[in-house]
Amino acid sequence: EPCSPQQAAMTAASGYAKAESDSDSDKEPESNKVTQAVDRVLDEWFVMGLHRAGAKKFIQEKICKEGDDSCKRVRQWFLLRMNGRSWDHGYPMMCRAADNVPGLRSHPVWPREAMPWLSGVEAKHSEILEELMAARQTSGSAQLSGFQPYRDPLHAGAEDRIAKDGLGVEGVDRGMWNVLYLYLNHKQFHDNTERFPKTMAAINDAFPRQYSHAFFSALTPGSHIVKHTGPSNRMLRAWLPISGLDGFKLRVGETILEPKVGEAFVWDHSYEHEAWHDGAETRFVLIVDIWHPDLTVDE
């Protein structure tokens, strides 16, 4: 009789728990297969050393625990990856990625009422604007601005946008897109964050469960950010428009937005998106990624 994905996940998870509890000499062939599949997933994520030992302990104690729904979605995701598969989500404009987590709510642009904390972010606009303008004014020969060109890794179809310095691919096909990283994929840029204490306090206090990926984005007049997708649905993208928004448009999926200065919003950058700036001033936005609100703390 066919079993549900949840039942299959529990069967595989139980097999892993048993395999880990068996000694090397008496592991059953099926248990060995499950253990090898788990190891393949950890290899895929480059989880090594103490981190690998911790991951295996977490898998045993949380993902393999029958009746524990605190990691239900990660359990489903892990089963897919153990079988070399990705979630078939059925959203035409969302990225097809191994990192996508099954069962999370999905909106290209999230309704305001789902994010009541946005008013607290908006209350920080004036002090963040003040810090950004002060940093730009003090930047000169003695101090770099901290902004750098946004670059993507080289990929098929982007050969015409290879950067002149050979470092990756430009995110625009006209104009200039520069970023000032505060966090990049969980790495803090201390030289930058020290110059933005109020902004950092806002990121840590006003944004729920921030993902340690945050930056200022600067787009010059006449720029076009080419269509692309983010890496996964496990995080959402919060924007606080800072200045220069006149003439700017953002497309997320099939929704076109015209953001306003000081009006924060949340969207899902796993959907295809692109942007145009036809205004007269450089557009500045504070971008902060947050964990998807459906994910539990354990997940």
Side-chain angles (χ1 to χ4, degrees):
E1 180 181 350
C3 63
S4 69
Q6 292 84 356
Q7 291 171 321
M10 287 309 307
T11 300
S14 299
Y16 176 68
K18 181 181 187 304
E20 285 296 291
S21 64
D22 290 342
S23 67
D24 289 339
S25 60
D26 60 6
K27 282 184 182 177
E28 299 175 3
E30 198 63 32
S31 294
N32 273 326
K33 289 180 181 179
V34 173
T35 302
Q36 290 166 7
V38 169
D39 283 332
R40 283 198 303 271
V41 177
L42 297 180
D43 289 343
E44 180 181 85
W45 278 72
F46 303 103
V47 181
M48 302 296 175
L50 290 175
H51 294 97
R52 194 180 189 95
K56 287 189 171 184
K57 184 173 186 291
F58 183 85
I59 291 166
Q60 269 194 288
E61 295 179 354
K62 300 296 295 187
I63 295 181
C64 297
K65 188 175 180 182
E66 293 192 45
D68 185 350
D69 284 343
S70 65
C71 285
K72 176 175 63 177
R73 298 175 191 85
V74 172
R75 184 179 297 128
Q76 294 171 8
W77 171 84
F78 207 83
L79 175 66
L80 287 169
R81 297 313 304 147
M82 286 171 64
N83 288 279
R85 297 169 54 203
S86 299
W87 178 40
D88 186 9
H89 48 66
Y91 299 110
M93 302 192 81
M94 181 190 282
C95 67
R96 298 278 172 177
D99 291 358
N100 281 338
V101 180
L104 301 179
R105 285 178 294 164
S106 183
H107 305 283
V109 180
W110 276 65
R112 173 88 183 193
E113 56 270 23
M115 304 290 173
W117 47 270
L118 285 173
S119 57
V121 171
E122 293 167 344
K124 304 294 184 181
H125 172 264
S126 59
E127 59 188 40
I128 293 173
L129 171 63
E130 182 180 353
E131 276 192 337
L132 179 61
M133 294 302 106
R136 294 186 71 205
Q137 290 169 5
T138 57
S139 298
S141 58
Q143 184 176 22
L144 297 176
S145 70
F147 279 92
Q148 62 189 69
Y150 177 88
R151 299 286 171 80
D152 275 325
L154 180 61
H155 57 276
E159 293 81 6
D160 59 337
R161 291 184 284 112
I162 295 176
K164 292 180 180 179
D165 59 12
L167 299 176
V169 172
E170 299 280 4
V172 293
D173 57 9
R174 63 176 184 267
M176 293 180 62
W177 181 17
N178 294 314
V179 292
L180 186 151
Y181 287 114
L182 302 168
Y183 292 103
L184 174 60
N185 297 328
H186 311 293
K187 174 181 172 58
Q188 185 172 347
F189 285 61
H190 293 281
D191 287 347
N192 290 339
T193 57
E194 288 172 1
R195 300 162 61 201
F196 293 93
K198 293 180 180 178
T199 301
M200 292 302 298
I203 289 172
N204 290 317
D205 297 339
F207 293 84
R209 301 200 302 179
Q210 62 98 354
Y211 190 81
S212 295
H213 188 81
F215 57 98
F216 287 105
S217 170
L219 195 65
T220 61
S223 295
H224 172 232
I225 298 176
V226 299
K227 64 183 181 181
H228 61 289
T229 63
S232 168
N233 70 336
R234 67 175 179 262
M235 78 287 283
L236 300 177
R237 179 147 286 185
W239 268 30
L240 177 62
I242 303 297
S243 64
L245 273 293
D246 289 346
F248 174 77
K249 293 181 181 180
L250 169 69
R251 178 181 68 82
V252 185
E254 296 180 345
T255 302
I256 295 180
L257 305 170
E258 297 186 32
K260 306 300 181 186
V261 168
E263 296 183 9
F265 62 99
V266 175
W267 55 287
D268 185 338
H269 79 317
S270 67
Y271 281 84
E272 181 185 279
H273 54 278
E274 65 181 315
W276 304 261
H277 186 33
D278 297 321
E281 303 176 24
T282 298
R283 182 233 61 182
F284 289 95
V285 174
L286 174 65
I287 297 175
V288 180
D289 286 352
I290 60 172
W291 287 99
H292 193 290
D294 288 352
L295 290 170
T296 66
V297 172
D298 284 331
E299 287 173 323

